[in-house]
PDB file of all heavy atoms in Angstrom:
ATOM      1  N   GLY A   1       0.752  -1.258   0.012  1.00  0.00           N
ATOM      2  CA  GLY A   1       0.036   0.000  -0.087  1.00  0.00           C
ATOM      3  C   GLY A   1       0.853   1.254  -0.036  1.00  0.00           C
ATOM      4  O   GLY A   1       0.249   2.363  -0.210  1.00  0.00           O
ATOM      5  N   ILE A   2       2.110   1.124   0.268  1.00  0.00           N
ATOM      6  CA  ILE A   2       2.961   2.293   0.298  1.00  0.00           C
ATOM      7  C   ILE A   2       3.907   2.312  -0.918  1.00  0.00           C
ATOM      8  O   ILE A   2       4.722   1.444  -1.054  1.00  0.00           O
ATOM      9  CB  ILE A   2       3.844   2.373   1.555  1.00  0.00           C
ATOM     10  CG1 ILE A   2       2.943   2.463   2.703  1.00  0.00           C
ATOM     11  CG2 ILE A   2       4.813   3.498   1.568  1.00  0.00           C
ATOM     12  CD1 ILE A   2       3.748   2.491   4.104  1.00  0.00           C
ATOM     13  N   GLY A   3       3.658   3.316  -1.751  1.00  0.00           N
ATOM     14  CA  GLY A   3       4.481   3.556  -2.963  1.00  0.00           C
ATOM     15  C   GLY A   3       5.449   4.691  -2.926  1.00  0.00           C
ATOM     16  O   GLY A   3       5.786   5.044  -1.710  1.00  0.00           O
ATOM     17  N   LYS A   4       5.835   5.164  -3.954  1.00  0.00           N
ATOM     18  CA  LYS A   4       6.878   6.289  -3.891  1.00  0.00           C
ATOM     19  C   LYS A   4       6.356   7.521  -3.218  1.00  0.00           C
ATOM     20  O   LYS A   4       7.077   8.129  -2.403  1.00  0.00           O
ATOM     21  CB  LYS A   4       7.312   6.618  -5.353  1.00  0.00           C
ATOM     22  CG  LYS A   4       7.939   5.433  -5.997  1.00  0.00           C
ATOM     23  CD  LYS A   4       8.270   5.741  -7.584  1.00  0.00           C
ATOM     24  CE  LYS A   4       8.994   4.716  -8.185  1.00  0.00           C
ATOM     25  NZ  LYS A   4       9.367   4.963  -9.669  1.00  0.00           N
ATOM     26  N   VAL A   5       5.150   7.916  -3.558  1.00  0.00           N
ATOM     27  CA  VAL A   5       4.649   9.227  -2.959  1.00  0.00           C
ATOM     28  C   VAL A   5       4.416   9.098  -1.453  1.00  0.00           C
ATOM     29  O   VAL A   5       4.840   9.922  -0.656  1.00  0.00           O
ATOM     30  CB  VAL A   5       3.328   9.617  -3.744  1.00  0.00           C
ATOM     31  CG1 VAL A   5       2.699  10.847  -2.969  1.00  0.00           C
ATOM     32  CG2 VAL A   5       3.714  10.009  -5.182  1.00  0.00           C
ATOM     33  N   LEU A   6       3.734   7.963  -1.057  1.00  0.00           N
ATOM     34  CA  LEU A   6       3.422   7.813   0.336  1.00  0.00           C
ATOM     35  C   LEU A   6       4.710   7.526   1.220  1.00  0.00           C
ATOM     36  O   LEU A   6       4.807   8.075   2.278  1.00  0.00           O
ATOM     37  CB  LEU A   6       2.452   6.628   0.527  1.00  0.00           C
ATOM     38  CG  LEU A   6       1.102   6.745  -0.104  1.00  0.00           C
ATOM     39  CD1 LEU A   6       0.196   5.581   0.289  1.00  0.00           C
ATOM     40  CD2 LEU A   6       0.426   8.123   0.530  1.00  0.00           C
ATOM     41  N   ALA A   7       5.637   6.878   0.579  1.00  0.00           N
ATOM     42  CA  ALA A   7       6.942   6.632   1.348  1.00  0.00           C
ATOM     43  C   ALA A   7       7.726   7.913   1.489  1.00  0.00           C
ATOM     44  O   ALA A   7       8.246   8.226   2.544  1.00  0.00           O
ATOM     45  CB  ALA A   7       7.843   5.567   0.561  1.00  0.00           C
ATOM     46  N   THR A   8       7.701   8.740   0.551  1.00  0.00           N
ATOM     47  CA  THR A   8       8.258  10.032   0.611  1.00  0.00           C
ATOM     48  C   THR A   8       7.638  10.894   1.642  1.00  0.00           C
ATOM     49  O   THR A   8       8.299  11.564   2.557  1.00  0.00           O
ATOM     50  CB  THR A   8       8.239  10.815  -0.747  1.00  0.00           C
ATOM     51  OG1 THR A   8       8.855  10.074  -1.708  1.00  0.00           O
ATOM     52  CG2 THR A   8       8.932  12.205  -0.630  1.00  0.00           C
ATOM     53  N   THR A   9       6.316  10.960   1.743  1.00  0.00           N
ATOM     54  CA  THR A   9       5.555  11.628   2.644  1.00  0.00           C
ATOM     55  C   THR A   9       5.819  11.240   4.131  1.00  0.00           C
ATOM     56  O   THR A   9       6.134  11.958   5.037  1.00  0.00           O
ATOM     57  CB  THR A   9       4.111  11.625   2.438  1.00  0.00           C
ATOM     58  OG1 THR A   9       3.812  12.172   1.096  1.00  0.00           O
ATOM     59  CG2 THR A   9       3.230  12.363   3.429  1.00  0.00           C
ATOM     60  N   ILE A  10       5.748   9.920   4.295  1.00  0.00           N
ATOM     61  CA  ILE A  10       6.034   9.302   5.654  1.00  0.00           C
ATOM     62  C   ILE A  10       7.260   9.567   6.193  1.00  0.00           C
ATOM     63  O   ILE A  10       7.543   9.923   7.325  1.00  0.00           O
ATOM     64  CB  ILE A  10       5.596   7.787   5.546  1.00  0.00           C
ATOM     65  CG1 ILE A  10       4.213   7.542   5.276  1.00  0.00           C
ATOM     66  CG2 ILE A  10       6.024   7.148   6.876  1.00  0.00           C
ATOM     67  CD1 ILE A  10       3.841   6.148   5.037  1.00  0.00           C
ATOM     68  N   LEU A  11       8.342   9.462   5.267  1.00  0.00           N
ATOM     69  CA  LEU A  11       9.790   9.582   5.742  1.00  0.00           C
ATOM     70  C   LEU A  11      10.005  11.021   6.080  1.00  0.00           C
ATOM     71  O   LEU A  11      10.588  11.369   7.124  1.00  0.00           O
ATOM     72  CB  LEU A  11      10.707   9.092   4.585  1.00  0.00           C
ATOM     73  CG  LEU A  11      12.134   9.030   4.893  1.00  0.00           C
ATOM     74  CD1 LEU A  11      12.403   8.111   6.013  1.00  0.00           C
ATOM     75  CD2 LEU A  11      12.970   8.633   3.650  1.00  0.00           C
ATOM     76  N   LEU A  12       9.542  12.000   5.213  1.00  0.00           N
ATOM     77  CA  LEU A  12       9.817  13.400   5.481  1.00  0.00           C
ATOM     78  C   LEU A  12       9.068  13.998   6.669  1.00  0.00           C
ATOM     79  O   LEU A  12       9.645  14.778   7.449  1.00  0.00           O
ATOM     80  CB  LEU A  12       9.535  14.181   4.292  1.00  0.00           C
ATOM     81  CG  LEU A  12      10.510  13.947   3.070  1.00  0.00           C
ATOM     82  CD1 LEU A  12      10.096  14.686   1.795  1.00  0.00           C
ATOM     83  CD2 LEU A  12      11.981  14.274   3.369  1.00  0.00           C
ATOM     84  N   GLU A  13       7.822  13.492   6.862  1.00  0.00           N
ATOM     85  CA  GLU A  13       6.995  13.991   7.970  1.00  0.00           C
ATOM     86  C   GLU A  13       7.394  13.298   9.187  1.00  0.00           C
ATOM     87  O   GLU A  13       7.202  14.028  10.301  1.00  0.00           O
ATOM     88  CB  GLU A  13       5.476  13.774   7.665  1.00  0.00           C
ATOM     89  CG  GLU A  13       4.903  14.530   6.428  1.00  0.00           C
ATOM     90  CD  GLU A  13       4.964  15.993   6.771  1.00  0.00           C
ATOM     91  OE1 GLU A  13       4.906  16.466   7.775  1.00  0.00           O
ATOM     92  OE2 GLU A  13       4.943  16.774   5.576  1.00  0.00           O
ATOM     93  N   THR A  14       7.966  12.177   9.228  1.00  0.00           N
ATOM     94  CA  THR A  14       8.382  11.530  10.389  1.00  0.00           C
ATOM     95  C   THR A  14       9.635  12.160  11.003  1.00  0.00           C
ATOM     96  O   THR A  14       9.758  12.349  12.129  1.00  0.00           O
ATOM     97  CB  THR A  14       8.618  10.019  10.164  1.00  0.00           C
ATOM     98  OG1 THR A  14       7.372   9.415   9.821  1.00  0.00           O
ATOM     99  CG2 THR A  14       9.031   9.392  11.401  1.00  0.00           C
ATOM    100  N   GLY A  15      10.593  12.467  10.172  1.00  0.00           N
ATOM    101  CA  GLY A  15      11.876  12.948  10.671  1.00  0.00           C
ATOM    102  C   GLY A  15      12.583  11.925  11.418  1.00  0.00           C
ATOM    103  O   GLY A  15      12.426  10.703  11.196  1.00  0.00           O
ATOM    104  N   PRO A  16      13.579  12.196  12.366  1.00  0.00           N
ATOM    105  CA  PRO A  16      14.309  11.229  13.002  1.00  0.00           C
ATOM    106  C   PRO A  16      13.335  10.298  13.840  1.00  0.00           C
ATOM    107  O   PRO A  16      12.527  10.802  14.751  1.00  0.00           O
ATOM    108  CB  PRO A  16      15.257  12.014  13.952  1.00  0.00           C
ATOM    109  CG  PRO A  16      15.242  13.370  13.301  1.00  0.00           C
ATOM    110  CD  PRO A  16      13.986  13.609  12.697  1.00  0.00           C
ATOM    111  N   ILE A  17      13.278   8.999  13.593  1.00  0.00           N
ATOM    112  CA  ILE A  17      12.425   8.086  14.242  1.00  0.00           C
ATOM    113  C   ILE A  17      12.766   7.984  15.818  1.00  0.00           C
ATOM    114  O   ILE A  17      11.799   7.699  16.638  1.00  0.00           O
ATOM    115  CB  ILE A  17      12.442   6.774  13.662  1.00  0.00           C
ATOM    116  CG1 ILE A  17      11.245   5.848  14.137  1.00  0.00           C
ATOM    117  CG2 ILE A  17      13.727   6.018  14.016  1.00  0.00           C
ATOM    118  CD1 ILE A  17       9.908   6.409  13.725  1.00  0.00           C
ATOM    119  N   ASP A  18      13.970   8.364  16.187  1.00  0.00           N
ATOM    120  CA  ASP A  18      14.323   8.378  17.611  1.00  0.00           C
ATOM    121  C   ASP A  18      13.599   9.361  18.435  1.00  0.00           C
ATOM    122  O   ASP A  18      13.504   9.263  19.708  1.00  0.00           O
ATOM    123  CB  ASP A  18      15.864   8.511  17.719  1.00  0.00           C
ATOM    124  CG  ASP A  18      16.653   7.322  17.171  1.00  0.00           C
ATOM    125  OD1 ASP A  18      16.114   6.322  17.092  1.00  0.00           O
ATOM    126  OD2 ASP A  18      17.782   7.546  16.856  1.00  0.00           O
ATOM    127  N   ARG A  19      12.944  10.266  17.851  1.00  0.00           N
ATOM    128  CA  ARG A  19      12.179  11.312  18.679  1.00  0.00           C
ATOM    129  C   ARG A  19      10.903  10.701  19.226  1.00  0.00           C
ATOM    130  O   ARG A  19      10.258  11.401  20.118  1.00  0.00           O
ATOM    131  CB  ARG A  19      11.809  12.575  17.840  1.00  0.00           C
ATOM    132  CG  ARG A  19      10.979  12.407  16.748  1.00  0.00           C
ATOM    133  CD  ARG A  19      11.022  13.701  15.831  1.00  0.00           C
ATOM    134  NE  ARG A  19      10.111  13.725  14.686  1.00  0.00           N
ATOM    135  CZ  ARG A  19       9.072  14.416  14.585  1.00  0.00           C
ATOM    136  NH1 ARG A  19       8.650  15.276  15.657  1.00  0.00           N
ATOM    137  NH2 ARG A  19       8.259  14.414  13.521  1.00  0.00           N
ATOM    138  N   PHE A  20      10.523   9.478  18.848  1.00  0.00           N
ATOM    139  CA  PHE A  20       9.387   8.845  19.287  1.00  0.00           C
ATOM    140  C   PHE A  20       9.729   7.692  20.252  1.00  0.00           C
ATOM    141  O   PHE A  20      10.526   6.885  19.829  1.00  0.00           O
ATOM    142  CB  PHE A  20       8.456   8.285  18.195  1.00  0.00           C
ATOM    143  CG  PHE A  20       8.018   9.302  17.119  1.00  0.00           C
ATOM    144  CD1 PHE A  20       8.565   9.611  16.003  1.00  0.00           C
ATOM    145  CD2 PHE A  20       7.000  10.154  17.563  1.00  0.00           C
ATOM    146  CE1 PHE A  20       8.164  10.513  15.127  1.00  0.00           C
ATOM    147  CE2 PHE A  20       6.442  11.093  16.651  1.00  0.00           C
ATOM    148  CZ  PHE A  20       7.121  11.266  15.423  1.00  0.00           C
ATOM    149  N   LYS A  21       9.346   7.687  21.543  1.00  0.00           N
ATOM    150  CA  LYS A  21       9.673   6.661  22.473  1.00  0.00           C
ATOM    151  C   LYS A  21       9.197   5.264  22.110  1.00  0.00           C
ATOM    152  O   LYS A  21       9.849   4.312  22.462  1.00  0.00           O
ATOM    153  CB  LYS A  21       9.225   7.156  23.866  1.00  0.00           C
ATOM    154  CG  LYS A  21       9.861   8.441  24.403  1.00  0.00           C
ATOM    155  CD  LYS A  21       9.375   8.781  25.777  1.00  0.00           C
ATOM    156  CE  LYS A  21      10.008  10.000  26.308  1.00  0.00           C
ATOM    157  NZ  LYS A  21       9.427  10.344  27.678  1.00  0.00           N
ATOM    158  N   ALA A  22       8.035   5.115  21.561  1.00  0.00           N
ATOM    159  CA  ALA A  22       7.468   3.855  21.346  1.00  0.00           C
ATOM    160  C   ALA A  22       6.528   3.940  19.998  1.00  0.00           C
ATOM    161  O   ALA A  22       6.173   5.022  19.623  1.00  0.00           O
ATOM    162  CB  ALA A  22       6.642   3.388  22.534  1.00  0.00           C
ATOM    163  N   ALA A  23       6.094   2.788  19.620  1.00  0.00           N
ATOM    164  CA  ALA A  23       5.256   2.753  18.413  1.00  0.00           C
ATOM    165  C   ALA A  23       3.942   3.493  18.703  1.00  0.00           C
ATOM    166  O   ALA A  23       3.417   4.102  17.756  1.00  0.00           O
ATOM    167  CB  ALA A  23       4.974   1.228  18.055  1.00  0.00           C
ATOM    168  N   GLY A  24       3.496   3.332  19.959  1.00  0.00           N
ATOM    169  CA  GLY A  24       2.255   4.051  20.224  1.00  0.00           C
ATOM    170  C   GLY A  24       2.331   5.569  20.197  1.00  0.00           C
ATOM    171  O   GLY A  24       1.372   6.273  19.749  1.00  0.00           O
ATOM    172  N   ASN A  25       3.495   6.108  20.483  1.00  0.00           N
ATOM    173  CA  ASN A  25       3.658   7.562  20.391  1.00  0.00           C
ATOM    174  C   ASN A  25       3.680   7.993  18.913  1.00  0.00           C
ATOM    175  O   ASN A  25       3.081   8.975  18.536  1.00  0.00           O
ATOM    176  CB  ASN A  25       4.988   7.992  21.012  1.00  0.00           C
ATOM    177  CG  ASN A  25       5.048   7.687  22.449  1.00  0.00           C
ATOM    178  OD1 ASN A  25       5.631   6.692  22.874  1.00  0.00           O
ATOM    179  ND2 ASN A  25       4.377   8.464  23.361  1.00  0.00           N
ATOM    180  N   PHE A  26       4.269   7.087  18.083  1.00  0.00           N
ATOM    181  CA  PHE A  26       4.284   7.395  16.630  1.00  0.00           C
ATOM    182  C   PHE A  26       2.840   7.343  16.032  1.00  0.00           C
ATOM    183  O   PHE A  26       2.448   8.164  15.225  1.00  0.00           O
ATOM    184  CB  PHE A  26       5.248   6.489  15.872  1.00  0.00           C
ATOM    185  CG  PHE A  26       5.310   6.782  14.403  1.00  0.00           C
ATOM    186  CD1 PHE A  26       5.862   7.916  13.952  1.00  0.00           C
ATOM    187  CD2 PHE A  26       4.878   5.760  13.628  1.00  0.00           C
ATOM    188  CE1 PHE A  26       5.891   8.127  12.520  1.00  0.00           C
ATOM    189  CE2 PHE A  26       4.868   5.935  12.196  1.00  0.00           C
ATOM    190  CZ  PHE A  26       5.424   7.125  11.674  1.00  0.00           C
ATOM    191  N   ALA A  27       2.192   6.297  16.408  1.00  0.00           N
ATOM    192  CA  ALA A  27       0.771   6.095  15.904  1.00  0.00           C
ATOM    193  C   ALA A  27      -0.066   7.300  16.367  1.00  0.00           C
ATOM    194  O   ALA A  27      -1.001   7.723  15.621  1.00  0.00           O
ATOM    195  CB  ALA A  27       0.168   4.746  16.447  1.00  0.00           C
ATOM    196  N   SER A  28       0.091   7.748  17.539  1.00  0.00           N
ATOM    197  CA  SER A  28      -0.678   8.941  18.028  1.00  0.00           C
ATOM    198  C   SER A  28      -0.301  10.162  17.202  1.00  0.00           C
ATOM    199  O   SER A  28      -1.238  10.930  16.895  1.00  0.00           O
ATOM    200  CB  SER A  28      -0.392   9.154  19.486  1.00  0.00           C
ATOM    201  OG  SER A  28      -1.156  10.241  19.947  1.00  0.00           O
ATOM    202  N   TYR A  29       0.943  10.315  16.916  1.00  0.00           N
ATOM    203  CA  TYR A  29       1.444  11.489  16.145  1.00  0.00           C
ATOM    204  C   TYR A  29       0.812  11.475  14.803  1.00  0.00           C
ATOM    205  O   TYR A  29       0.474  12.510  14.119  1.00  0.00           O
ATOM    206  CB  TYR A  29       2.984  11.485  16.102  1.00  0.00           C
ATOM    207  CG  TYR A  29       3.478  12.656  15.344  1.00  0.00           C
ATOM    208  CD1 TYR A  29       3.353  14.005  15.763  1.00  0.00           C
ATOM    209  CD2 TYR A  29       4.169  12.511  14.092  1.00  0.00           C
ATOM    210  CE1 TYR A  29       3.845  15.043  15.157  1.00  0.00           C
ATOM    211  CE2 TYR A  29       4.791  13.589  13.436  1.00  0.00           C
ATOM    212  CZ  TYR A  29       4.591  14.906  13.957  1.00  0.00           C
ATOM    213  OH  TYR A  29       5.150  15.940  13.166  1.00  0.00           O
ATOM    214  N   ALA A  30       0.569  10.277  14.232  1.00  0.00           N
ATOM    215  CA  ALA A  30       0.037  10.090  12.961  1.00  0.00           C
ATOM    216  C   ALA A  30      -1.478  10.064  12.949  1.00  0.00           C
ATOM    217  O   ALA A  30      -2.186   9.817  11.958  1.00  0.00           O
ATOM    218  CB  ALA A  30       0.421   8.677  12.288  1.00  0.00           C
ATOM    219  N   ARG A  31      -2.071  10.396  14.134  1.00  0.00           N
ATOM    220  CA  ARG A  31      -3.570  10.446  14.254  1.00  0.00           C
ATOM    221  C   ARG A  31      -4.262   9.140  14.009  1.00  0.00           C
ATOM    222  O   ARG A  31      -5.346   9.137  13.309  1.00  0.00           O
ATOM    223  CB  ARG A  31      -4.141  11.562  13.414  1.00  0.00           C
ATOM    224  CG  ARG A  31      -3.669  12.950  13.723  1.00  0.00           C
ATOM    225  CD  ARG A  31      -4.342  13.940  12.883  1.00  0.00           C
ATOM    226  NE  ARG A  31      -3.897  15.373  13.168  1.00  0.00           N
ATOM    227  CZ  ARG A  31      -4.334  16.472  12.621  1.00  0.00           C
ATOM    228  NH1 ARG A  31      -5.324  16.351  11.610  1.00  0.00           N
ATOM    229  NH2 ARG A  31      -3.836  17.649  12.755  1.00  0.00           N
ATOM    230  N   CYS A  32      -3.577   8.001  14.417  1.00  0.00           N
ATOM    231  CA  CYS A  32      -4.107   6.749  14.163  1.00  0.00           C
ATOM    232  C   CYS A  32      -4.748   6.087  15.369  1.00  0.00           C
ATOM    233  O   CYS A  32      -4.979   4.853  15.342  1.00  0.00           O
ATOM    234  CB  CYS A  32      -3.062   5.816  13.482  1.00  0.00           C
ATOM    235  SG  CYS A  32      -2.663   6.273  11.878  1.00  0.00           S
ATOM    236  N   VAL A  33      -4.870   6.868  16.373  1.00  0.00           N
ATOM    237  CA  VAL A  33      -5.426   6.274  17.699  1.00  0.00           C
ATOM    238  C   VAL A  33      -6.771   7.088  18.076  1.00  0.00           C
ATOM    239  O   VAL A  33      -6.935   8.103  17.594  1.00  0.00           O
ATOM    240  CB  VAL A  33      -4.390   6.374  18.826  1.00  0.00           C
ATOM    241  CG1 VAL A  33      -3.139   5.515  18.476  1.00  0.00           C
ATOM    242  CG2 VAL A  33      -4.060   7.838  19.124  1.00  0.00           C
ATOM    243  N   ASP A  34      -7.513   6.470  18.865  1.00  0.00           N
ATOM    244  CA  ASP A  34      -8.773   7.060  19.244  1.00  0.00           C
ATOM    245  C   ASP A  34      -8.449   8.220  20.248  1.00  0.00           C
ATOM    246  O   ASP A  34      -7.524   8.239  20.973  1.00  0.00           O
ATOM    247  CB  ASP A  34      -9.616   5.937  19.930  1.00  0.00           C
ATOM    248  CG  ASP A  34     -11.047   6.499  20.240  1.00  0.00           C
ATOM    249  OD1 ASP A  34     -11.558   7.379  19.520  1.00  0.00           O
ATOM    250  OD2 ASP A  34     -11.683   5.941  21.168  1.00  0.00           O
ATOM    251  N   SER A  35      -9.441   9.149  20.175  1.00  0.00           N
ATOM    252  CA  SER A  35      -9.245  10.356  20.998  1.00  0.00           C
ATOM    253  C   SER A  35     -10.521  10.426  21.845  1.00  0.00           C
ATOM    254  O   SER A  35     -11.666  10.646  21.246  1.00  0.00           O
ATOM    255  CB  SER A  35      -9.103  11.524  20.221  1.00  0.00           C
ATOM    256  OG  SER A  35      -9.025  12.769  20.946  1.00  0.00           O
ATOM    257  N   ALA A  36     -10.450  10.356  23.093  1.00  0.00           N
ATOM    258  CA  ALA A  36     -11.670  10.308  23.994  1.00  0.00           C
ATOM    259  C   ALA A  36     -11.354  10.669  25.411  1.00  0.00           C
ATOM    260  O   ALA A  36     -10.201  10.498  25.814  1.00  0.00           O
ATOM    261  CB  ALA A  36     -12.356   9.000  23.931  1.00  0.00           C
ATOM    262  N   HIS A  37     -12.317  11.341  26.041  1.00  0.00           N
ATOM    263  CA  HIS A  37     -12.208  11.690  27.416  1.00  0.00           C
ATOM    264  C   HIS A  37     -13.213  10.778  28.291  1.00  0.00           C
ATOM    265  O   HIS A  37     -14.330  10.755  27.876  1.00  0.00           O
ATOM    266  CB  HIS A  37     -12.460  13.172  27.645  1.00  0.00           C
ATOM    267  CG  HIS A  37     -11.413  14.030  27.225  1.00  0.00           C
ATOM    268  ND1 HIS A  37     -11.575  15.499  27.118  1.00  0.00           N
ATOM    269  CD2 HIS A  37     -10.207  13.838  26.827  1.00  0.00           C
ATOM    270  CE1 HIS A  37     -10.405  15.940  26.643  1.00  0.00           C
ATOM    271  NE2 HIS A  37      -9.534  15.024  26.400  1.00  0.00           N
ATOM    272  N   THR A  38     -12.778  10.050  29.185  1.00  0.00           N
ATOM    273  CA  THR A  38     -13.687   9.241  29.943  1.00  0.00           C
ATOM    274  C   THR A  38     -13.585   9.489  31.470  1.00  0.00           C
ATOM    275  O   THR A  38     -12.554   9.994  32.007  1.00  0.00           O
ATOM    276  CB  THR A  38     -13.310   7.737  29.720  1.00  0.00           C
ATOM    277  OG1 THR A  38     -11.967   7.529  30.179  1.00  0.00           O
ATOM    278  CG2 THR A  38     -13.441   7.392  28.238  1.00  0.00           C
ATOM    279  N   SER A  39     -14.632   9.096  32.171  1.00  0.00           N
ATOM    280  CA  SER A  39     -14.690   9.318  33.600  1.00  0.00           C
ATOM    281  C   SER A  39     -15.622   8.215  34.173  1.00  0.00           C
ATOM    282  O   SER A  39     -16.810   8.066  33.635  1.00  0.00           O
ATOM    283  CB  SER A  39     -15.177  10.658  34.037  1.00  0.00           C
ATOM    284  OG  SER A  39     -15.201  10.796  35.365  1.00  0.00           O
ATOM    285  N   ASN A  40     -15.191   7.465  35.098  1.00  0.00           N
ATOM    286  CA  ASN A  40     -16.011   6.357  35.747  1.00  0.00           C
ATOM    287  C   ASN A  40     -16.490   5.386  34.636  1.00  0.00           C
ATOM    288  O   ASN A  40     -17.622   4.862  34.648  1.00  0.00           O
ATOM    289  CB  ASN A  40     -17.091   6.957  36.492  1.00  0.00           C
ATOM    290  CG  ASN A  40     -17.846   5.911  37.413  1.00  0.00           C
ATOM    291  OD1 ASN A  40     -17.134   5.008  37.800  1.00  0.00           O
ATOM    292  ND2 ASN A  40     -19.126   6.146  37.659  1.00  0.00           N
ATOM    293  N   GLY A  41     -15.658   5.140  33.636  1.00  0.00           N
ATOM    294  CA  GLY A  41     -15.999   4.137  32.603  1.00  0.00           C
ATOM    295  C   GLY A  41     -16.873   4.743  31.608  1.00  0.00           C
ATOM    296  O   GLY A  41     -17.401   3.924  30.712  1.00  0.00           O
ATOM    297  N   LYS A  42     -17.135   5.996  31.622  1.00  0.00           N
ATOM    298  CA  LYS A  42     -18.137   6.573  30.665  1.00  0.00           C
ATOM    299  C   LYS A  42     -17.399   7.644  29.786  1.00  0.00           C
ATOM    300  O   LYS A  42     -16.621   8.376  30.375  1.00  0.00           O
ATOM    301  CB  LYS A  42     -19.348   7.205  31.304  1.00  0.00           C
ATOM    302  CG  LYS A  42     -20.204   6.172  32.140  1.00  0.00           C
ATOM    303  CD  LYS A  42     -21.368   6.872  32.883  1.00  0.00           C
ATOM    304  CE  LYS A  42     -22.077   5.960  33.687  1.00  0.00           C
ATOM    305  NZ  LYS A  42     -23.286   6.603  34.325  1.00  0.00           N
ATOM    306  N   LYS A  43     -17.799   7.682  28.484  1.00  0.00           N
ATOM    307  CA  LYS A  43     -17.175   8.647  27.643  1.00  0.00           C
ATOM    308  C   LYS A  43     -17.767  10.113  27.899  1.00  0.00           C
ATOM    309  O   LYS A  43     -18.979  10.190  28.044  1.00  0.00           O
ATOM    310  CB  LYS A  43     -17.432   8.285  26.188  1.00  0.00           C
ATOM    311  CG  LYS A  43     -16.771   9.263  25.271  1.00  0.00           C
ATOM    312  CD  LYS A  43     -16.899   8.707  23.764  1.00  0.00           C
ATOM    313  CE  LYS A  43     -16.212   9.654  22.708  1.00  0.00           C
ATOM    314  NZ  LYS A  43     -16.296   9.154  21.438  1.00  0.00           N
ATOM    315  N   LYS A  44     -16.939  10.949  28.145  1.00  0.00           N
ATOM    316  CA  LYS A  44     -17.328  12.380  28.500  1.00  0.00           C
ATOM    317  C   LYS A  44     -16.988  13.458  27.350  1.00  0.00           C
ATOM    318  O   LYS A  44     -17.050  14.560  27.497  1.00  0.00           O
ATOM    319  CB  LYS A  44     -16.620  12.843  29.739  1.00  0.00           C
ATOM    320  CG  LYS A  44     -16.895  11.999  30.954  1.00  0.00           C
ATOM    321  CD  LYS A  44     -18.379  12.149  31.363  1.00  0.00           C
ATOM    322  CE  LYS A  44     -18.795  11.354  32.607  1.00  0.00           C
ATOM    323  NZ  LYS A  44     -20.187  11.472  32.962  1.00  0.00           N
ATOM    324  N   GLY A  45     -16.702  12.932  26.116  1.00  0.00           N
ATOM    325  CA  GLY A  45     -16.329  13.733  25.028  1.00  0.00           C
ATOM    326  C   GLY A  45     -15.073  13.273  24.431  1.00  0.00           C
ATOM    327  O   GLY A  45     -14.428  12.309  24.704  1.00  0.00           O
ATOM    328  N   ALA A  46     -14.751  14.025  23.281  1.00  0.00           N
ATOM    329  CA  ALA A  46     -13.516  13.632  22.530  1.00  0.00           C
ATOM    330  C   ALA A  46     -12.320  14.526  22.871  1.00  0.00           C
ATOM    331  O   ALA A  46     -12.557  15.647  23.379  1.00  0.00           O
ATOM    332  CB  ALA A  46     -13.793  13.853  21.015  1.00  0.00           C
ATOM    333  N   GLY A  47     -11.145  14.073  22.742  1.00  0.00           N
ATOM    334  CA  GLY A  47      -9.898  14.734  22.985  1.00  0.00           C
ATOM    335  C   GLY A  47      -9.629  15.670  21.881  1.00  0.00           C
ATOM    336  O   GLY A  47     -10.349  15.943  20.952  1.00  0.00           O
TER     337      GLY A  47
END
């Protein structure tokens, strides 16, 4: 699924990969994780 254009975009937008502590941090930076505010097990809105 990643060709020349997408590989270029991902590489340039990522920069040094060492600036991300873990895969979860990188996925969050790429907006690939859920965003929610919860309290007492109930959703109170989006982050």
